[in-house]
Amino acid sequence: MATIADLLDERSIDLSLSSGDKDDAIERMVDLVDASGALLDRDVLIKAVRAREEAGTTGLGDGIAIPHGKCDGVDRPALAFARSDEGVSWGAPDGSLASLVFLIAVPEAAAGNEHLRILASLARSLVKADFRNQLLAASTPQEVREVLAGISA
């Protein structure tokens, strides 16, 4: 069975995101998807993620944001992860700044179940403080992937 770590290339991990601005952070996250080789059209993916944000924030609270986009800007499901020491204002209901940001990108054809399964798996794990602390403590992309390896995609 595939895990979340299987969707996350080490090149798609940024442990020092230095943007307090959500729009800039989205662009940087899309660049991380590009580093994995899954990106077909940067502008299409950025537009899809921003459209989703306009429909309602993907800032979940507890320092977490999971922006996502369903579009033909990617050729396969892909995931990017960024950690921000300063935090990014993501409009979370609790007012917290996002320190842990996952971007999910899926092709339109795989949008239904694939997208929801990835989102649900991440959300179930991220509600646990222990899990969030492991991601905050990870010092290398490899360690991030190890933390995520136990989560089914």
Side-chain angles (χ1 to χ4, degrees):
M1 177 178 271
T3 68
I4 293 294
D6 295 331
L7 299 173
L8 185 64
D9 187 288
E10 287 183 12
R11 297 169 294 181
S12 299
I13 299 171
D14 181 354
L15 297 177
S16 58
L17 180 66
S18 60
S19 175
D21 174 71
K22 177 169 63 170
D23 285 332
D24 183 55
I26 289 170
E27 289 185 21
R28 290 173 188 236
M29 299 292 292
V30 169
D31 290 341
L32 292 174
V33 171
D34 189 22
S36 76
L39 189 67
L40 297 173
D41 190 319
R42 183 177 193 273
D43 293 335
V44 168
L45 181 54
I46 289 171
K47 183 177 177 181
V49 173
R50 286 185 175 154
R52 173 57 188 85
E53 288 296 326
E54 288 175 18
T57 185
T58 58
L60 304 181
D62 288 327
I64 303 161
I66 309 178
H68 44 280
K70 300 178 280 187
C71 66
D72 291 323
V74 291
D75 65 358
R76 64 183 181 274
L79 188 64
F81 170 73
R83 188 174 66 204
S84 171
D85 290 336
E86 304 88 40
V88 180
S89 180
W90 219 281
D94 67 359
S96 67
L97 299 178
S99 300
L100 303 172
V101 182
F102 287 91
L103 182 126
I104 303 169
V106 294
E108 194 67 49
N113 292 339
E114 185 80 18
H115 166 258
L116 295 175
R117 190 168 54 247
I118 297 166
L119 184 59
S121 292
L122 274 173
R124 273 193 306 272
S125 296
L126 287 164
V127 297
K128 301 172 189 163
D130 216 27
F131 182 79
R132 292 191 308 270
N133 289 336
Q134 288 178 42
L135 288 172
L136 289 168
S139 59
T140 66
Q142 297 87 352
E143 287 179 14
V144 169
R145 289 190 76 243
E146 287 170 15
V147 171
L148 298 172
I151 305 172
S152 297

